[in-house]
Amino acid sequence: MKQCVEHFLAAVWEQITAVYQEESKRITGLKEQSRLQAGILQYLKVAWKKGKSPNGTIFIDVYEPFSWSDSSYKVEAGSYIQEFTDVQHIEELFSALCTKTEEVFQSEQYGPRFFDYHFEVVLEFEHDKTVLHYQKELLNNRKLASTKQVLASFIETKVMAELPVRPSDNDEFFLAKHLVNPHFFHQTAEEVEPLIHRLQEKHRANKERLDKWIYYYTMAFKQWAEEHFLTHYFEQAGDYRKEWVLKTEDSVQQLEQEKLDFFLYVALKIGQKEPATRLEYLELAKQLGSLQAANYLEKGSGRFESIRKRDVFEGQANDILQTIDIRVMVEEENAYREALYYIIQLLQEGFPKGYKLTLKSKAKNYLPIKKLAKSKLHQFFANCLQYPNLFPLLADYAQLAMEEFAWYQDVEPSEKSAMPSTYAVFGLGLYSKDYFPLVQRYMLLVDTEHQSVQDAYAEAFLEAHGLSVEMMPVFVAILLGASESAKPIKNIDIMDLDLLVALRQELEKKADYQRPFVLYRIFGSSKKLAQRLKQESAPIRDELEKLLQWMDS
């Protein structure tokens, strides 16, 4: 080995040894490491840049750096760097670096969980106004075999086992990464989807866990798509928003159908969390010559009636993109009836309830409720509600569409997100007392932790109906359906004995934790209720005292 290579490697390894010793202490102290993670370190990059110093600087990264970060360890190179005059010297340096790294990687001198089962070595070296790049992957076959055994046992005992057994959150994070790793799974929907579906079903009743699992596999799929698939056939162009630009036709001709099929599957799965990414990936697959992607974009999966035409309306649906397009040709009751029939039939056949709707219509009606997004979907149902004869059909739709932990896609996920059926239920509840039971069912089902558009419904309800003894059950249900961030209702008049008795009787049926929230929405703080109590005389004061006890309990 040339002396310049020895000196360079010695300088690098002195720094790496110091870093590894500190990392070893940190990793040894980690608690609750996932059994699916063979080890932590899996990357080493050494780069030499001339810069402004006499002999340049060596940059060392022990974790793969982000493009925007500058966290490298820096070592000033010595005069030996002047001897690197030939590419052969640099190649010898890379070979020596790989050999040295392999020795440490295959050992357990820093502990059994220090290195992962695979390791990437990278060398970048400035030479003749260019940067030479070398890269090699190392593999610890013993650790790989062990990880496969652990993974198989984990799937059998944690994923496929019946509830209440379920994986830990940390284990699911690494399972998602393994799903797109060819060392563990064939990259096919047939092999991967059953595991994803199984965990979705396990977490169906737990919104937080379900969301996390979807997030984990979405991120893993995106990483696979952008780092291991698209980069083979596209280049990224643009300074800010990177766009994928197709490479030469030769690269496309080398595309394997199985990889393209898996990319399509990935696009569809990502779409559950990121509809815009799904659309982008399908467009890219179409550029790669996928007829399936073209059909998905134009017609959907083919399972549903993609186009329906009548004299008064036209409808088009795409279950892959989760979109329904409605065009009202004639502004009349029958046009909206036909449109509702079409949407209801789609949902009955399994069309996604959290769809996005586009509308072409001259009528522009909206419900008198604050917070509701003035979207095309909102407009469509508000238009339907102008025709009382359609109320029973709208109720049928609402019963069918209502689903916990689902949201329309008419807005980006935000405080204006709404559970499927929201616009129909809210309108029916305002326009007819016949649909109060539907409103109560909605308020029992709505996810109060992740949706807040219902917070403003109480005021709109009072504006439409006022308040009576008969309405107290539905009114209390509306208050309980609000999110924790809901504010007290303004200008509510409930200081009637019959109303207070009805309120107290309704709250007696509720859980202890529910009563203070309802009373807060009506009276504000317990201090305000106590002040009001002093102003009243019996028997109203007696009823207020009973209510105040619930607020103070």
Side-chain angles (χ1 to χ4, degrees), residues 182 186-189 224-225 228-230 232-233 251 254-267 285 288 290:
H186 293 298
Q187 307 298 265
T188 63
W224 176 86
H228 301 285
F229 180 82
L230 291 175
H232 291 290
Y233 313 106
S251 64
Q254 298 171 8
L255 175 60
E256 298 174 18
Q257 186 61 44
E258 187 174 80
K259 286 187 177 180
L260 181 56
D261 290 342
F262 189 66
F263 178 64
L264 287 178
Y265 165 75
V266 163
L288 292 173
S290 172

Side-chain angles (χ1 to χ4, degrees), residues 390-540:
L390 296 183
F391 287 1
L393 195 59
L394 282 164
D396 290 343
Y397 164 81
Q399 294 279 12
L400 182 61
M402 208 179 294
E403 182 177 329
E404 189 179 18
F405 305 144
W407 285 271
Y408 284 131
Q409 293 182 26
D410 58 327
V411 296
E412 292 293 322
S414 66
E415 63 179 9
K416 293 185 180 293
S417 296
M419 181 172 73
S421 79
T422 294
Y423 304 112
V425 171
F426 283 9
L428 290 169
L430 294 183
Y431 296 153
S432 172
K433 296 179 182 180
D434 294 340
Y435 299 100
F436 285 179
L438 183 65
V439 173
Q440 287 173 280
R441 178 174 177 245
Y442 177 97
M443 292 300 172
L444 281 172
L445 192 63
V446 69
D447 179 9
T448 58
E449 292 185 16
H450 301 91
Q451 180 181 311
S452 61
V453 293
Q454 71 276 17
D455 293 358
Y457 190 62
E459 289 186 20
F461 180 86
L462 291 176
E463 185 70 25
H465 301 292
L467 188 58
S468 66
V469 170
E470 294 75 20
M471 291 182 188
M472 193 60 70
V474 66
F475 181 62
V476 170
I478 290 169
L479 296 180
L480 285 174
S483 70
E484 292 184 358
S485 60
K487 299 292 190 292
I489 301 167
K490 296 179 180 178
N491 304 320
I492 180 173
D493 183 11
I494 200 171
M495 289 303 166
D496 174 89
L497 180 60
D498 290 341
L499 289 178
L500 289 173
V501 171
L503 173 62
R504 190 239 318 146
Q505 291 175 341
E506 190 62 26
L507 289 179
E508 285 174 344
K509 305 172 188 176
K510 305 303 178 185
D512 291 344
Y513 72 90
Q514 293 176 312
R515 295 168 184 157
F517 183 67
V518 171
L519 295 171
Y520 165 75
R521 296 290 316 279
I522 295 173
F523 297 105
S525 65
S526 59
K527 183 179 180 181
K528 289 182 179 180
L529 177 55
Q531 291 173 344
R532 186 61 188 266
L533 186 152
K534 293 177 182 178
Q535 301 171 13
E536 301 293 339
S537 57
I540 289 180

Side-chain angles (χ1 to χ4, degrees), residues 253-296:
Q253 289 174 357
Q254 298 171 8
L255 175 60
E256 298 174 18
Q257 186 61 44
E258 187 174 80
K259 286 187 177 180
L260 181 56
D261 290 342
F262 189 66
F263 178 64
L264 287 178
Y265 165 75
V266 163
L268 301 190
K269 296 302 291 185
I270 286 176
Q272 186 175 355
K273 187 81 174 177
E274 300 184 13
T277 304
R278 172 181 56 204
L279 179 60
E280 178 190 19
Y281 284 6
L282 289 176
E283 292 284 2
L284 294 174
K286 182 180 176 181
Q287 290 185 46
L288 292 173
S290 172
L291 295 178
Q292 183 69 72
N295 285 331
Y296 281 162

Side-chain angles (χ1 to χ4, degrees), residues 239-446:
D239 295 328
Y240 298 102
R241 187 184 182 280
K242 298 289 187 181
E243 293 186 3
W244 296 98
V245 179
L246 193 63
K247 292 181 180 178
T248 62
E249 291 186 5
D250 291 340
S251 64
V252 177
Q253 289 174 357
Q254 298 171 8
L255 175 60
E256 298 174 18
Q257 186 61 44
E258 187 174 80
K259 286 187 177 180
L260 181 56
D261 290 342
F262 189 66
F263 178 64
L264 287 178
Y265 165 75
V266 163
L268 301 190
K269 296 302 291 185
I270 286 176
Q272 186 175 355
K273 187 81 174 177
E274 300 184 13
T277 304
R278 172 181 56 204
L279 179 60
E280 178 190 19
Y281 284 6
L282 289 176
E283 292 284 2
L284 294 174
K286 182 180 176 181
Q287 290 185 46
L288 292 173
S290 172
L291 295 178
Q292 183 69 72
N295 285 331
Y296 281 162
L297 290 166
E298 184 178 351
K299 301 176 182 178
S301 68
R303 289 179 52 217
F304 303 92
E305 184 181 353
S306 60
I307 297 178
R308 179 178 290 188
K309 292 186 178 182
R310 299 290 187 267
D311 292 339
V312 291
F313 110 102
E314 291 182 2
Q316 189 168 348
N318 187 314
D319 60 311
I320 297 299
L321 302 181
Q322 295 180 268
T323 57
I324 297 176
D325 303 323
I326 299 295
R327 182 180 181 187
V328 176
M329 317 292 285
V330 182
E331 287 293 338
E332 63 180 30
E333 180 181 303
N334 195 43
Y336 289 97
R337 178 180 288 106
E338 290 292 339
L340 283 171
Y341 281 148
Y342 181 50
I343 296 172
I344 288 172
Q345 182 179 330
L346 290 171
L347 296 192
Q348 287 173 333
E349 294 173 355
F351 194 90
K353 295 177 181 179
Y355 58 86
K356 178 180 180 180
L357 184 141
T358 60
L359 174 68
K360 289 186 178 179
S361 166
K362 292 181 180 178
K364 293 185 178 180
N365 295 290
Y366 299 100
L367 298 174
I369 304 170
K370 298 173 183 176
K371 282 196 172 186
L372 286 186
K374 290 190 175 181
S375 64
K376 293 296 184 180
L377 189 65
H378 180 181
Q379 180 188 342
F380 171 75
F381 284 106
N383 287 355
C384 290
L385 286 158
Q386 302 307 302
Y387 304 100
N389 289 336
L390 296 183
F391 287 1
L393 195 59
L394 282 164
D396 290 343
Y397 164 81
Q399 294 279 12
L400 182 61
M402 208 179 294
E403 182 177 329
E404 189 179 18
F405 305 144
W407 285 271
Y408 284 131
Q409 293 182 26
D410 58 327
V411 296
E412 292 293 322
S414 66
E415 63 179 9
K416 293 185 180 293
S417 296
M419 181 172 73
S421 79
T422 294
Y423 304 112
V425 171
F426 283 9
L428 290 169
L430 294 183
Y431 296 153
S432 172
K433 296 179 182 180
D434 294 340
Y435 299 100
F436 285 179
L438 183 65
V439 173
Q440 287 173 280
R441 178 174 177 245
Y442 177 97
M443 292 300 172
L444 281 172
L445 192 63
V446 69

